[in-house]
Amino acid sequence: MRLHRLTVTAFGPFGGTQTVDFDELSSAGLFLLHGPTGAGKTSVLDAVCYALYGSVPGARQGGGQGTALRSDHAAPMTRTEVTLDLTVAGRRLEVTRQPPWERPKKRGTGTTLDKAQTWLRAYDATAGAWKDLSRSHQEIGEEITQLLGMSREQFCQVVLLPQGDFARFLRADAEARGKLLGRLFDTRRFADVEKRLAERRRTTEARVREGDAELLADAHRMQQAAGDAMALPELAPGEPGLAEAVLSAAAVARSTVREQLTVTACTLTAAESAQAAAGRVLDEARELARLQRRHAQARERAAALEQGAEAYREALALMERARKAEAVAPALDLREAAEAEHRRAAAAQERARALLPETFADAGAAGLAAAARRAAEELGGLDSARRAERRLAELLDERTGLDRQDRADADLLQDAEGWLDGWEERRTALQAGVDSAQQAAALAEQLAVRREPAQQRLRAARLRDRLAEDTDRAAERARAARDETLRAKQHWLELKEQRLNGIAAELAAHLADGEPCAVCGATEHPAPARKDAGHVDREAEERALTAYQRADEQRADAERRLGDARQALAAATAEAGDTPTDRLAEEAEELEERYARARGAAADLHAAQERLRQAGQEHERRLAARQETAVRTASRIAHRERLDRERALLEEELERARGSLDSVAARAAQLERRTALLTDAADAARVADDTAQRLKDADARLADAAFRAGFETPQAAAAALLDRAAHRELQHRLDAWQHEEAAVRAVLAEAETAAAAGEPQADPDAAQRAADEAARRLRDAASAHDAAQRRCADLDRLSARAAASVRRLAPLREEYDRVARMAGLAAGTSADNERRMRLESYVLAARLEQVAAAATVRLRRMSSGRYTLVHSDDRTGRGRSGLGLHVVDAWTGRERDTATLSGGETFFASLALALGLADVVTDEAGGVRLDTLFIDEGFGSLDDQTLDEVLDVLDSLRERDRSVGIVSHVADLRRRVHAQLEVVKGRSGSALRLRGAG
């Protein structure tokens, strides 16, 4: 890679456009980049890095690539731009980058943000012109990285050699060296291998522990099932031998529980035999006790029968008399029935005679019947008169109905005449209502079209007023933000100028005796600058810059909000016009009121039309009703005359039939009652005579039946009779006594019962207690046997489950052992890794060994053959080995740590290390040739002889057309190196000057 030309505009401290011709500088092979502190020497290197990678090295990246890289000295309309012309991999390329920036708007106030832009061009030697390749950030970044073969971090370490970093690298411990080498050689894949192995080890270990935990849980279940027959192994999940210990304990427990099962089976058999024998003894005792109780109860029942024998004989005699009296019972029943019937007939006769006049008190049944026939014949002659009386009542009701119809028709006719008299006025009024509603409907349609535009204009006017207020407030805030931005910028520039004036005192504050100066490199500081009372430090300047940037952001936001408010106000004004809002509101309200009134009037159109239609129908109905009323009135007059003639004839006939009573019905009712009373009295007299004769006949038959049955009088026979309940109760007593006597004789005749009575008294309670005890022993034995069977089954099941778990975990345990060994080796924690070197450290150690060998070639020349850099993989203290770096002193023949080198020795050792590292990284990147290198600071710590030797080494880098740029403050280098690029700083920004080249 060779740099040809660098052009920067508004970048870093450079307010304008500055150009560096590296071809002219590189013609001498060695050139010097110098200038006062803060002038922008490092910014030149930052520009090269930014052109290639789109960012600057390390901490100088800032918060954002736009505002952090732009020069504060640049004009507002000047855009930041970096252009680099270089040759890489045999191709001539030009890279141009413009970071994002906020520029003033071309129209109006405020700023707008322009996006970052990138161009990549290639030089076509045949055509003699540049050819565009790409404008994509991503494509250009990938192309440059692929051509260089290095990342930005590698480029900054290989091409832009930072000596301070390599001096720290020499003195650093193994961990710090590992971080730097890891970034340069990108050994993250080896660290990822270590992490992957560690993760696999943790994963497999967790799975093994989980499986062991399940196995231990099964072991606890087996211990619970086996009781005291199993002891658990005292091992934790994951420990070796856990599976074998659990399986061994399970086998012992199964053997012990099977022995217990055999013992309980024998015990159960013995208990079953004992329980059967006790049951037989209990049955025999219960049977003997039952027979003895049966014999005793039979003796007691026989004694009770002897005591009740007399009562049995009396009941037997009473039953015999009752059987004889049953032969007289029909005659008794017949006589009682005849007597009851005669009493009822006599009472009925008395009640019937009491209702008759006294003239019929002594009349017999025949006389009463003849009087009833005469009254019935007189009643039959009144039928015609009753029909005439009913017809007369109907005529009166019909005449009353005709009168009622006359009155109703008169009222209807009067109402119709009155309604028809005002018909014309009513029809005219209803038609006027219909016409008015139709006109209101047409007006409502016209007003509805105007409503929405009026409301839309009113809303726009209100929005216009509100946006006008918002615009005024936004304008006030924008003016205040601009004033605040100007004040903040002026304050920041003043503080920056004060800090630049006192920068020497700020640098002197970090000086220490024996330590090289960061500016000139001297280790002695006779008269360092002192801070005055008003000194401004870096933090104060940065706070002022932050305040200015924050104020500028607030200003831009306020101006953007003001522009938005003005655009919205213009749109609202265009829609609403200039008419005041109050006037538009009044017009809209008046329009709404007119629309509401018209719509309300139009809403009555259908009702008005319906009222007119109904009125027409009512007019026709009233005319028809008036005509029908006249017809009905004429018809009723003729009907009324016919009714009057028929009424006169009926009244004459009824007057003859009523006699002295008020009506024919009263006369007929009188005759009907008399006929009924006489008929009832005649019937009652005949029934009383018949029942008296039947009672006399019943008395004669009863006396004859009692004599034949052996009773002296009918009353004695009646006394001997028993009713059905008494007869049933007496028969039940006789049957019970006979049944009990037979049962007692049968029990006393049983041979088995008599034999049991001769035996000693039985004791079933004692036999029951013995049987209960035998049953309890049987239950205990059966429970113990069942428990032993369950333990055997549970242990067999759990043992099979544990064995399956052990078989399932066996491959996982083998995998865990293999992964754990590999993870331990890669992490340097395994006993097999004697040097405790991690895998990444091992790879980096090989790279460091190559770097040390490449650096030694130049270090020996710089130190006149005294020093040699060697790699050491010895352990330091309790740490790990692999990244040690020692120096071999040829004068003493001893190997010592690089931290013991002096300041000058440290510089050229770190320089040699940086150059060696550049060679190794270049080879690692695919052998990309690096024709331009930069070395930053550190030369002030060398004496004249060493400086000459270092410059000779650097001058030798010009072989094969390579150029080296030195960045330094050392004044002596200005005499030794003729080609120089000077950075001159000023209040309007820094500038670049080329001296002694060509």
Side-chain angles (χ1 to χ4, degrees):
M1 180 198 72
R2 174 177 291 277
L3 306 182
H4 299 293
R5 179 179 295 273
L6 174 67
T7 303
V8 295
T9 302
F11 184 85
F14 307 108
T17 300
Q18 302 292 324
T19 302
V20 180
D21 190 348
F22 286 107
D23 287 338
E24 188 175 355
L25 284 173
S26 301
S27 60
L30 192 65
F31 64 90
L32 177 66
L33 177 60
H34 69 93
T37 301
K41 299 184 297 298
T42 306
S43 296
V44 176
L45 307 183
D46 289 347
V48 174
C49 184
Y50 177 74
L52 293 174
Y53 294 98
S55 60
V56 297
R60 297 193 296 277
Q61 295 183 53
Q65 293 303 317
T67 57
L69 299 181
R70 179 171 175 79
S71 175
D72 297 327
H73 304 285
M77 295 304 295
T78 301
R79 178 155 190 175
T80 303
E81 183 178 273
V82 178
T83 302
L84 178 63
D85 180 6
L86 75 158
T87 297
V88 58
R91 298 176 63 187
R92 182 76 175 267
L93 301 175
E94 181 187 77
V95 184
T96 301
R97 291 187 186 270
Q98 293 179 350
W101 73 306
E102 288 189 359
R103 62 169 178 81
K105 293 183 177 179
K106 296 180 179 179
R107 291 186 297 272
T109 60
T111 61
T112 183
L113 180 65
D114 285 350
K115 297 182 179 180
Q117 298 185 22
T118 307
W119 294 271
L120 178 63
R121 300 195 302 171
Y123 183 73
D124 188 351
T126 303
W130 292 93
K131 178 182 179 181
D132 292 335
L133 296 181
S134 176
R135 298 193 63 173
S136 170
H137 300 292
Q138 183 176 0
E139 290 180 358
I140 295 173
E142 293 175 354
E143 181 71 15
I144 294 298
T145 303
Q146 182 177 2
L147 290 173
L148 292 177
M150 290 180 286
S151 64
R152 190 197 66 183
E153 290 77 9
Q154 291 175 323
F155 179 82
C156 294
Q157 292 290 340
V158 173
V159 179
L160 312 178
L161 302 178
Q163 295 307 304
D165 288 351
F166 282 95
R168 285 190 294 274
F169 181 80
L170 282 174
R171 299 186 178 93
D173 56 8
E175 183 177 358
R177 288 196 186 108
K179 291 181 180 179
L180 177 60
L181 293 174
R183 290 197 305 270
L184 292 177
F185 293 104
D186 192 15
T187 57
R188 288 175 297 179
R189 60 186 182 279
F190 300 103
D192 292 340
V193 170
E194 296 178 20
K195 293 180 181 178
R196 177 58 179 165
L197 288 173
E199 291 175 358
R200 286 194 59 188
R201 179 184 60 189
R202 287 191 296 270
T203 302
T204 53
E205 183 181 5
R207 293 172 60 190
V208 168
R209 288 181 178 274
E210 182 179 356
D212 285 349
E214 294 179 358
L215 185 60
L216 275 179
D218 289 339
H220 281 91
R221 296 187 186 96
M222 286 189 286
Q223 186 184 38
Q224 293 176 356
D228 299 333
M230 179 177 178
L232 289 179
E234 297 180 357
L235 295 174
E239 294 186 13
L242 176 63
E244 292 77 6
V246 170
L247 294 180
S248 299
V252 173
R254 288 198 304 274
S255 177
T256 303
V257 170
R258 285 194 175 87
E259 292 177 359
Q260 294 176 355
L261 178 62
T262 302
V263 173
T264 56
C266 296
T267 304
L268 177 61
T269 301
E272 289 175 347
S273 300
Q275 194 268 343
R280 289 192 297 271
V281 172
L282 176 61
D283 293 341
E284 293 174 355
R286 286 175 176 173
E287 180 63 18
L288 178 60
R290 185 185 68 80
L291 293 174
Q292 289 177 345
R293 285 196 303 274
R294 180 180 176 82
H295 186 271
Q297 291 171 357
R299 296 294 298 273
E300 293 174 358
R301 289 159 64 190
L305 288 173
E306 288 295 333
Q307 294 176 359
E310 183 61 29
Y312 170 71
R313 287 189 290 272
E314 292 177 356
L316 191 60
L318 183 60
M319 178 62 72
E320 182 64 25
R321 285 178 59 82
R323 288 194 186 97
K324 293 178 180 181
E326 288 177 358
V328 186
L332 286 172
D333 294 339
L334 181 60
R335 199 272 175 191
E336 288 177 0
E339 184 179 8
E341 185 179 6
H342 178 65
R343 284 196 300 269
R344 288 193 298 272
Q349 183 181 6
E350 285 186 18
R351 288 193 299 271
R353 287 182 181 275
L355 298 176
L356 295 177
E358 293 181 358
T359 55
F360 298 102
D362 297 330
L368 293 174
R373 284 193 297 273
R374 289 193 299 271
E377 290 174 356
E378 185 178 359
L379 178 61
L382 294 178
D383 288 342
S384 176
R386 281 201 295 269
R387 286 192 299 273
E389 189 175 37
R390 287 195 295 272
R391 176 57 183 163
L392 180 61
E394 291 175 357
L395 290 177
L396 292 176
D397 292 340
E398 191 171 353
R399 179 65 183 271
T400 303
L402 292 175
D403 295 340
R404 186 168 56 253
Q405 291 176 6
D406 284 340
R407 290 192 297 272
D409 284 344
D411 294 339
L412 181 61
L413 183 61
Q414 183 180 0
D415 182 57
E417 292 291 346
W419 192 90
L420 291 172
D421 290 342
W423 161 242
E424 290 299 330
E425 292 81 357
R426 185 178 296 104
R427 185 186 62 78
T428 303
L430 291 174
Q431 184 62 46
V434 172
D435 297 340
S436 176
Q438 289 175 343
Q439 294 174 0
L443 178 60
E445 292 179 357
Q446 297 173 1
L447 295 176
V449 177
R450 297 167 53 191
R451 284 178 66 240
E452 183 57 29
Q455 292 294 332
Q456 181 65 25
R457 191 178 179 190
L458 176 59
R459 288 194 293 270
R462 289 171 177 168
L463 178 62
R464 177 198 62 197
D465 297 344
R466 186 168 64 255
L467 291 176
E469 297 175 358
D470 295 343
T471 303
D472 294 340
R473 288 194 294 271
E476 183 63 28
R477 287 195 292 270
R479 285 193 295 272
R482 285 195 293 270
D483 295 341
E484 180 62 25
T485 302
L486 292 175
R487 286 194 296 271
K489 183 175 182 180
Q490 182 65 29
H491 179 62
W492 167 60
L493 291 176
E494 291 174 356
L495 292 182
K496 182 176 183 180
E497 184 176 3
Q498 293 177 17
R499 181 170 177 249
L500 291 175
N501 293 334
I503 194 65
E506 184 176 337
L507 294 174
H510 299 287
L511 294 178
D513 293 337
E515 295 292 333
C517 175
V519 178
C520 63
T523 59
E524 296 182 358
H525 320 292
R530 298 286 185 251
K531 295 181 180 179
D532 54 16
H535 177 72
V536 177
D537 57 6
R538 181 184 181 87
E539 294 181 356
E541 180 189 354
E542 291 179 349
R543 286 196 300 271
L545 175 59
T546 302
Y548 161 60
Q549 293 173 344
R550 184 167 57 250
D552 191 53
E553 292 175 357
Q554 294 175 354
R555 174 195 58 77
D557 183 65
E559 291 180 349
R560 180 184 58 77
R561 293 178 184 272
L562 177 58
D564 296 341
R566 285 174 175 171
Q567 292 178 0
L569 177 60
T573 303
E575 184 176 358
D578 297 330
T579 306
T581 305
D582 296 340
R583 182 177 175 184
L584 292 176
E586 293 175 357
E587 293 176 356
E589 184 177 359
E590 181 182 359
L591 181 61
E592 288 294 330
E593 291 178 354
R594 292 179 60 195
Y595 174 72
R597 290 194 299 271
R599 186 176 180 182
D604 196 40
L605 175 61
H606 178 71
Q609 292 174 342
E610 182 64 21
R611 287 194 295 271
L612 178 60
R613 185 185 63 80
Q614 292 178 355
Q617 293 177 352
E618 181 67 14
H619 176 258
E620 294 176 357
R621 188 181 64 80
R622 295 287 180 132
L623 289 175
R626 184 173 62 180
Q627 184 176 2
E628 292 174 358
T629 301
V631 173
R632 287 196 301 272
T633 301
S635 175
R636 282 195 300 272
I637 292 173
H639 190 196
R640 185 180 292 109
E641 292 176 354
R642 289 194 302 273
L643 293 178
D644 289 342
R645 289 193 296 270
E646 186 178 0
R647 176 183 177 185
L649 295 175
L650 291 175
E651 287 179 349
E652 182 179 359
E653 180 182 356
L654 290 176
E655 188 175 359
R656 292 193 302 269
R658 283 196 297 268
S660 61
L661 296 179
D662 295 335
S663 64
V664 176
R667 177 60 179 168
Q670 183 183 35
L671 293 175
E672 288 176 356
R673 177 176 177 76
R674 180 180 296 175
T675 301
L677 292 176
L678 290 172
T679 302
D680 292 340
D683 293 338
R686 285 195 298 272
V687 171
D689 293 343
D690 293 341
T691 55
Q693 182 60 41
R694 285 196 293 273
L695 177 60
K696 186 182 295 185
D697 295 341
D699 287 336
R701 285 194 295 272
L702 175 60
D704 183 63
F707 177 75
R708 285 197 299 271
F711 294 100
E712 295 178 356
T713 62
Q715 290 76 14
L721 276 176
L722 296 175
D723 58 16
R724 183 173 300 178
H727 183 276
R728 189 166 50 250
E729 191 274 335
L730 181 60
Q731 184 63 44
H732 178 71
R733 284 166 52 195
L734 294 174
D735 293 342
W737 195 92
Q738 294 171 0
H739 178 73
E740 179 68 9
E741 182 183 20
V744 168
R745 283 199 300 270
V747 170
L748 293 178
E750 292 176 354
E752 184 179 15
T753 304
E759 295 289 336
Q761 187 65 32
D763 190 2
D765 294 336
Q768 181 65 51
R769 287 193 296 272
D772 292 342
E773 179 65 20
R776 184 188 62 77
R777 292 174 181 172
L778 177 60
R779 287 194 301 271
D780 293 343
S783 177
H785 184 64
D786 292 342
Q789 287 180 330
R790 285 195 300 273
R791 283 196 296 270
C792 286
D794 291 343
L795 282 176
D796 290 342
R797 176 177 54 81
L798 293 173
S799 297
R801 179 174 171 179
S805 298
V806 171
R807 289 192 300 272
R808 187 177 64 256
L809 288 175
L812 184 60
R813 290 182 186 276
E814 294 176 0
E815 180 184 1
Y816 169 67
D817 294 339
R818 181 174 62 257
V819 172
R821 282 198 307 274
M822 294 180 65
L825 287 173
T829 58
S830 173
D832 297 335
N833 191 335
E834 297 178 356
R835 296 186 180 276
R836 299 186 64 194
M837 186 181 296
R838 294 171 48 240
L839 176 61
E840 185 182 15
S841 300
Y842 177 78
V843 176
L844 293 177
R847 293 285 188 258
L848 183 59
E849 190 172 359
Q850 295 175 356
V851 171
T856 297
V857 176
R858 296 182 176 88
L859 179 60
R860 291 177 65 85
R861 291 182 59 186
M862 293 180 186
S863 63
S864 302
R866 180 179 178 182
Y867 293 117
T868 301
L869 281 175
V870 294
H871 161 252
S872 173
D873 54 7
D874 294 336
R875 294 173 56 183
T876 57
R878 297 178 58 87
R880 298 176 183 177
S881 61
L883 298 178
L885 193 62
H886 291 174
V887 61
V888 178
D889 191 347
W891 290 3
T892 63
R894 297 176 63 86
E895 181 179 329
R896 54 193 174 97
D897 193 273
T898 54
T900 61
L901 295 174
S902 66
E905 292 171 342
T906 300
F907 167 71
F908 62 69
S910 62
L911 178 59
L913 185 64
L915 294 173
L917 181 63
D919 293 340
V920 175
V921 172
T922 300
D923 296 338
E924 179 73 15
V928 176
R929 178 179 174 82
L930 302 178
D931 296 322
T932 304
L933 298 177
F934 294 91
I935 301 174
D936 190 4
E937 299 296 350
F939 292 88
S941 61
L942 302 179
D943 55 29
D944 293 340
Q945 180 181 356
T946 306
L947 181 59
D948 290 337
E949 293 174 348
V950 170
L951 290 177
D952 290 342
V953 172
L954 294 178
D955 193 56
S956 67
L957 295 177
R958 291 185 299 172
E959 299 173 358
R960 290 176 294 178
D961 201 21
R962 178 181 290 183
S963 62
V964 179
I966 300 174
V967 183
S968 178
H969 293 279
V970 178
D972 193 31
L973 287 174
R974 301 175 193 172
R975 293 183 292 100
R976 296 172 181 263
V977 181
H978 301 289
Q980 300 178 9
L981 179 63
E982 182 181 4
V983 184
V984 181
K985 70 176 180 178
R987 293 184 61 86
S988 60
S990 299
L992 297 174
R993 295 177 183 175
L994 191 63
R995 299 178 184 274

